[in-house]
Amino acid sequence: MKKIIFTLLIFSLAYSDNSKYAGEFLRIPVGARSLGMGGAFIAIANDGSSFYYNPAGVAISGSGILSFMYSSQFGGITNPLASFFHLGYIQNFQGVGLALNWVRLSVDNIPITPDYTEIETPIDRENLVKNYSVENFFSDVEDAFYFSFSKEFKFDINFGWSRYKVPVSFPVGLNFKLINQKIGTEKATGFGFDAGFMFRFSMDDFLQREDMGDVSISLALKDIGKTRISWSTRREHLIEPTLMFGLAYSLPVNFLAGKITFAYGSQNSYLTDRMYGIEYGYKNLIFVRFGKNAENLTIGAGLNVDFVIVDYAFLSHQLGSVHRVSASLLIDKILKRI
């Protein structure tokens, strides 16, 4: 029953003039590390999921990174209401970050039930429903392909005092995205743009003291000029722009041999979400994360071993739990070993 209700919310878009929830699958956060921090990743955006939170982060995420993610959306790991995938690659060419990413949400084995609304008596309808056996099914498959371009600019801010200059990093980026949706026999396509920038600096340089941490401030705008989705039902939906703001502060904790990162994020579209997250990393090897997204709590953990990074996240939700696993291979590091 949950699967039917969940799917009907999506399926109605193909036949409705209401664009409020158009492209809703694009709002599902990508990546286990970011989910473990409640989605407050907009100002961090330095791994395989950077394209989703802020395309500017592609330039600072490294090079030769192959990323994969699987998420069981709402329900058990083996029998979720929906499955959510991500596959992507980031490469850096002469200071320009390029990325190609594919995101898919799929709901399988949705039963096709007959329309009994014309049956007048409730008893007859009830008997028909009791004796009906499901024989036909359909699926909902929603894909998005992202092509990202990003560059990091570095310069000094002179405060006017002798020898007092603060080095800053200013990455900027742009996403081109292609959307394909198929619900039963109906299909839809769309094309959109995202843009973002980050402003990063060290508090060590700003305060002229050691171990004061790093600050990152971020803005990203999704679906610039509204992304148009055209359905085979001759309906057209517009995805409204979403403004995303992020703030992050990373502080070394020497007595714990690690670093703590505090993050805040917000996104404004037809509703306003606020996200909070915290991450502790021990020697850049083992990570523990906690977060809050709207009314939902998240936890996560990560392991960084040589050229392999593995992350896990759990989100509690009224529709059911979300379990998410993601992994990254540092291809450039592997090739250097070879």
Side-chain angles (χ1 to χ4, degrees), residues 25 107 122 167 193 218 291 319 326:
F25 81 103
V107 184
F193 301 89
S218 173
L319 287 178
S326 62

Side-chain angles (χ1 to χ4, degrees), residues 230-244:
S230 301
W231 285 90
S232 56
T233 57
R234 297 184 180 179
R235 305 283 186 179
E236 286 194 343
H237 296 135
L238 297 175
I239 303 178
E240 296 291 331
T242 299
L243 179 63
M244 304 177 72

Side-chain angles (χ1 to χ4, degrees), residues 26-311:
L26 298 174
R27 303 181 195 277
I28 302 175
V30 175
R33 179 189 175 196
S34 53
L35 181 64
M37 299 180 70
F41 208 65
I42 305 160
I44 301 173
N46 61 357
D47 66 5
S49 67
S50 58
F51 74 97
Y52 174 84
Y53 294 94
N54 192 335
V58 171
I60 61 172
S61 297
S63 185
I65 302 176
L66 179 64
S67 300
F68 168 80
M69 180 204 75
Y70 169 74
S71 180
S72 60
Q73 296 291 115
F74 314 125
I77 298 177
T78 58
N79 188 31
L81 292 181
S83 297
F84 189 45
F85 302 89
H86 162 240
L87 180 65
Y89 184 75
I90 297 176
Q91 187 67 48
N92 194 290
F93 295 97
Q94 298 179 351
V96 177
L98 303 177
L100 175 62
N101 289 274
W102 167 44
V103 172
R104 164 172 285 192
L105 175 71
S106 63
V107 184
D108 298 321
N109 298 322
I110 305 168
I112 298 177
T113 56
D115 182 6
Y116 293 139
T117 57
E118 295 182 358
I119 307 298
E120 294 184 358
T121 62
I123 296 178
D124 290 340
R125 287 199 299 267
E126 183 177 342
N127 290 332
L128 287 171
V129 170
K130 284 182 179 179
N131 297 324
Y132 177 76
S133 60
V134 178
E135 297 180 356
N136 298 314
F137 301 84
F138 71 97
S139 299
D140 168 27
V141 180
E142 310 187 32
D143 294 305
F145 300 90
Y146 291 79
F147 306 89
S148 306
F149 304 85
S150 178
K151 183 173 179 58
E152 180 185 21
F153 299 92
K154 295 182 178 180
F155 53 90
D156 296 335
I157 295 181
N158 192 337
F159 284 88
W161 296 287
S162 177
R163 298 182 181 179
Y164 187 36
K165 297 180 180 180
V166 177
V168 300
S169 167
F170 189 75
V172 296
L174 184 66
N175 280 338
F176 299 90
K177 58 188 178 186
L178 175 65
I179 301 166
N180 285 312
Q181 296 179 257
K182 182 179 180 182
I183 303 177
T185 59
E186 307 300 340
K187 298 179 181 180
T189 58
F191 186 76
F193 301 89
D194 308 324
F197 72 86
M198 306 172 76
F199 183 77
R200 307 164 71 237
F201 64 93
S202 171
M203 291 297 290
D204 295 8
D205 298 320
F206 185 73
L207 299 177
Q208 300 291 292
R209 296 181 61 182
E210 295 183 355
D211 297 329
M212 297 305 295
D214 301 309
V215 174
S216 177
I217 304 170
S218 173
L219 276 178
L221 182 61
K222 291 188 173 184
D223 301 298
I224 298 172
K226 299 183 181 181
T227 297
R228 184 182 301 274
I229 297 180
S230 301
W231 285 90
S232 56
T233 57
R234 297 184 180 179
R235 305 283 186 179
E236 286 194 343
H237 296 135
L238 297 175
I239 303 178
E240 296 291 331
T242 299
L243 179 63
M244 304 177 72
F245 169 78
L247 180 65
Y249 175 51
S250 298
L251 179 68
V253 185
N254 295 328
F255 69 93
L256 293 176
K259 182 172 68 174
I260 295 180
T261 299
F262 303 91
Y264 166 80
S266 67
Q267 57 182 18
N268 298 298
S269 52
Y270 62 87
L271 50 80
T272 299
D273 286 335
R274 289 181 174 82
M275 300 154 283
Y276 307 88
I278 182 172
E279 176 187 69
Y280 166 69
Y282 174 73
K283 293 185 177 180
N284 199 36
L285 177 65
I286 301 173
F287 299 86
V288 179
R289 306 173 183 111
F290 300 93
K292 183 175 183 294
N293 185 335
E295 300 301 323
N296 305 312
L297 299 177
T298 66
I299 60 173
L303 182 64
N304 186 350
V305 181
D306 201 5
F307 53 81
V308 179
I309 302 172
V310 180
D311 295 299

